[in-house]
Each structure stands twice: as structure tokens, then as C-alpha cells.
Amino acid sequence: MTNDVVSKLATVIPPSRISTDPSLLDELSWDALSEGRIHPGHYPELHAPVCAVRPRSTDEVRRIVQFANAEKIALVPFGGGSGLMGGAMSIRPGVAVDLRDLNQILDIDTEGSSARVQAGVVLESLDTKLNGVGFILGHDPWTVPVATIGGAISTNSVGYRAGIYGSMGEQVMGLEAVLPNGEILRTRPVSKRSAGIDLNALLIGGEGCFGIITEATIRIFPRPQARVFCGFLFASFEQGFAAIQKMLHARVRPALLDFGDDEDKHDPGAILYLVFEGNTEIIAAESNLAVAICSGDGGRPLGREEPEQFWLDRREIARRFMHNRRQRRERGPRRRR
Ligand SMILES: Cc1cc2nc3c(=O)[nH]c(=O)nc-3n(C[C@H](O)[C@H](O)[C@H](O)COP(=O)(O)OP(=O)(O)OC[C@H]3O[C@@H](n4cnc5c(N)ncnc54)[C@H](O)[C@@H]3O)c2cc1C
């Protein structure tokens, strides 16, 4: 099957974009779904992809989709492979569409607060570029160093700062995608829609089922003037949760709100970390109100250092994930059930 598929694909896209390297195919057959998350009674049957393709343009993606339709072969889009739900896993012999060569930042419009990028652009590289012009990417999951724009949109990823910038999906203004029938969909990049059906919604959170995103225009945000860190230890989860509800009812909007138990740090108790960012005066007012509410509800202030360390470490897990994946690649293909 492999030779047949590869030789036919080579008539559709340049052969240099097709790979059958076993360790690459192994890497592309699995995302960040941990084995512990899989129901033991529903363990998926895994297959390495027959081959991988690395398109460089929307037109190449279109030709790959048309080929797959004609040959009745499954395609699995693959971005950074950091999705947590197994959406990029290969569960039947198919072709992995590795989108990491669609990596061009096409336009940054600071006046219109938007950026137009290809789907394989890694979040961190876009954020770095935006920082150079006084802007930031509002989407900030732990996977910033590895996840791609297309993958983040397809998982409608939330990210740490969604409290003020919204989920990845909420930051999408317009999309270009190749639909399953090989047609190209282009939605107009506008900041607000008042009429008609929002076709972006077909692809946001779609995990690649309704098309392959090739390009996106997303919102960007001015770099925050200042950042304030607060932390509280509550005697119980319920006590902390009640304080959070009061804050939200008072329209206090932290950029980051992380709450839960962590026995390694404080036992007993529930820990709340808050980060406010934006205009200096506004965040001073909001954080003062948050301190008053949390202290009034029995929260013991933890000082600035602990929440700041949490902030600084928030992407460490992605670097460990990438390191483990590199090691796995060196060890060779994984065991299949
Ligand atoms: C708070 C939080 C919540 C999160 N919630 C989720 C969640 O609900 N689900 C989840 O899977 N991950 C979740 N994540 C992880 C995060 O969404 C992923 O790390 C990241 O967004 C996926 O990007 P990726 O490029 O690695 O995508 P990949 O892992 O490569 O792909 C993810 C999915 O999107 C598809 N895909 C990839 N690129 C494209 C494209 N260009 N066009 C069409 N489809 C494509 C893949 O087939 C797969 O189904 C969450 C992370 C955080 C911090």
C-alpha cells in the first residue's frame, strides 16, 4: 500500500514533500494524549501513517485532499502534536498532513490589531514577532513553544490569559481552509459579525474533521503596560471558590486565574493565583478589589513571589514534552497494541 500511495502522491505534490521515515511517522501518529487519559476498555487501535506530507501552500493542501478523496484514504492534519484529546492520532492507515512548513507570518496590522498567518506558525514565533512591534498574542496555553495556530484554532484552546483575551477561537477574525471536498473556504476577516452564519465556527474546535486550516487572521493585543501578581491560600476549596465568584460578580477580571489543591506546595488548603495585566491604574484598582474580597473571605495572602514563579514556569511542561518527544524519536518507533 505504501509504495502505491507514495508513487501516486508524487504525481500530485513534489516528492521532496513526502516522507516514509519510520521515526517521523511514529512521531506523527500520536499527540499529547497521555495513556492515562484513555479508557482502558476503549484503547484505540493505532497505526503509523502510511506516509507523511509536508505541504508548503494552500494549493498543495488542496491537491492532497483531492487525492485522498479519489483514493478514499484518511488524512490526519498535524500541527505541533500537543493536543490533549488524541485528535492527531492515526487510528487507521492514512496520510499525516504535517503542516509545520506552512510557517509564514504574512502580515501584522498594528492599526487594525490583527495578524494574518499561515496555519503552521508556532505560537511562540508569532508572539516574539509581535513583541517587536509592541503587541502580544492573546492566546497563551502551556504549549506556546510547540503548538501551531491551526492546531490551537482546531482545539479552540483556552490558555492561561483567556480571562481577558478569550479562547483561541474568540480571537479568530477570518480563516482560509481546504474543505473535505477539496474546495477552498475563505471567510472575510472582520472583528464583529452581525448577520449571517459564522463559517469560522465550522473549523474552530473542529479537530480537523471539517477541513484543513491553511491560513488565519487573528486579533492581536497591545503589550500590557504593567502586571500585578497575587496569591492566596484558602482553608478549603469551597471557601476559595466562593471568593472567586464574588470577584467575578464584581466584574474583577484577572488575566490569569489558577485555582486548586497542590499538596506539594500547601497542605491542607486550596491555592489561588491571580495575574492582572493591562493599564497600570485599572489593574491596580482591580487587584486591590481582589485582595479585599479574597482577604475578607478568609484567603491568606501568599505574597508576590509564588504566583510570579507559577507565571514564569507556566510553559516549562511544554519544553519537557518536546524533550521527551525528541528522546522517543531517538529510541525508535513505539510499541503498538
Ligand atoms: C487550558 C487549556 C485547554 C486546552 N484544551 C484542549 C482541548 O480541549 N483539546 C485539545 O486537544 N487540546 C487542548 N489543549 C492543548 C492545546 O490546545 C494544544 O496544545 C494546542 O492548541 C494544539 O496545537 P497543535 O498545533 O499542537 O495541534 P495538534 O496537536 O497537532 O492538533 C490538534 C488537533 O487539531 C487538528 N489540526 C492541527 N492542525 C490543523 C489545521 N491546520 N487544520 C485543521 N486541523 C488541524 C489535529 O488533527 C488535531 O485534531 C489545552 C491547553 C490548555 C492550556
Side-chain angles (χ1 to χ4, degrees):
M1 182 184 189
T2 304
N3 289 345
D4 188 38
V5 171
V6 170
S7 58
K8 284 183 183 164
L9 255 174
T11 64
V12 171
I13 56 164
S16 59
R17 312 253 208 284
I18 306 168
S19 173
T20 53
D21 171 3
S23 58
L24 175 68
L25 297 185
D26 183 60
E27 178 189 329
L28 299 182
S29 67
W30 190 285
D31 57 16
L33 175 72
S34 58
E35 300 215 1
R37 279 180 182 239
I38 303 175
H39 189 288
H42 298 282
Y43 203 92
E45 196 184 327
L46 296 176
H47 292 266
V50 173
C51 65
V53 286
R54 255 181 118 112
R56 294 219 179 124
S57 67
T58 301
D59 190 55
E60 284 186 3
V61 175
R62 182 183 61 79
R63 281 185 267 145
I64 293 164
V65 172
Q66 286 175 341
F67 163 83
N69 272 326
E71 295 295 321
K72 304 242 175 302
I73 188 161
L75 296 179
V76 181
F78 195 98
S82 65
L84 299 170
M85 301 298 156
M89 276 164 59
S90 284
I91 52 167
R92 66 175 73 107
V95 174
V97 186
D98 183 349
L99 293 152
R100 289 175 286 187
D101 279 350
L102 287 178
N103 57 7
Q104 299 301 308
I105 297 171
L106 302 167
D107 184 39
I108 293 177
D109 175 2
T110 51
E111 211 172 309
S113 296
S114 70
R116 188 164 68 88
V117 298
Q118 285 189 308
V121 167
V122 172
L123 303 180
E124 189 171 62
S125 61
L126 177 57
D127 193 40
T128 305
K129 192 86 187 260
L130 291 173
N131 292 172
V133 292
F135 275 72
I136 59 161
L137 177 65
H139 186 50
D140 182 37
W142 61 270
T143 47
V144 162
V146 57
T148 60
I149 290 288
I153 294 172
S154 301
T155 54
N156 196 7
S157 175
V158 176
Y160 291 113
R161 288 137 111 189
I164 52 175
Y165 304 116
S167 71
M168 183 73 243
E170 288 169 289
Q171 294 169 40
V172 170
M173 296 169 70
L175 288 176
E176 178 189 83
V178 179
L179 300 177
N181 64 359
E183 279 180 32
I184 297 176
L185 168 74
R186 289 192 182 91
T187 65
R188 188 193 292 264
V190 288
S191 55
K192 185 178 183 309
R193 284 186 170 71
S194 325
I197 297 165
D198 179 8
L199 288 175
N200 293 331
L202 189 66
L203 294 140
I204 294 169
E207 299 268 355
C209 294
F210 300 111
I212 299 183
I213 299 166
T214 48
E215 211 180 285
T217 302
I218 57 167
R219 275 177 237 288
I220 57 172
F221 302 88
R223 194 158 38 189
Q225 228 175 43
R227 197 165 281 141
V228 173
F229 298 88
C230 313
F232 298 91
L233 181 65
F234 289 91
S236 68
F237 187 89
E238 290 75 9
Q239 198 182 36
F241 190 74
I244 291 170
Q245 280 191 308
K246 272 191 202 162
M247 268 192 303
L248 298 182
H249 289 164
R251 309 291 289 170
V252 172
R253 290 182 64 206
L256 176 148
L257 188 159
D258 189 90
F259 179 58
D261 309 320
D262 186 341
E263 288 166 8
D264 292 339
K265 287 186 182 157
H266 298 280
D267 187 26
I271 307 162
L272 174 64
Y273 296 141
L274 300 171
V275 179
F276 295 88
E277 67 177 26
N279 172 280
T280 311
E281 288 164 45
I282 293 174
I283 62 170
E286 282 196 292
S287 56
N288 285 340
L289 193 49
V291 169
I293 291 172
C294 291
S295 304
D297 267 23
R300 178 166 69 78
L302 291 172
R304 177 195 165 106
E305 207 174 294
E306 196 176 314
E308 189 169 9
Q309 199 56 48
F310 175 82
W311 172 263
L312 295 174
D313 291 345
R314 73 195 188 285
R315 295 174 185 164
E316 270 318 298
I317 186 170
R319 300 194 200 281
R320 281 204 297 277
F321 167 72
M322 287 155 78
H323 174 75
N324 291 344
R325 191 154 71 177
R326 256 196 312 277
Q327 281 193 329
R328 204 183 76 206
R329 198 168 170 182
E330 281 157 17
R331 277 201 306 271
R334 74 170 63 224
R335 159 184 76 88
R336 292 181 196 282
R337 294 193 178 186

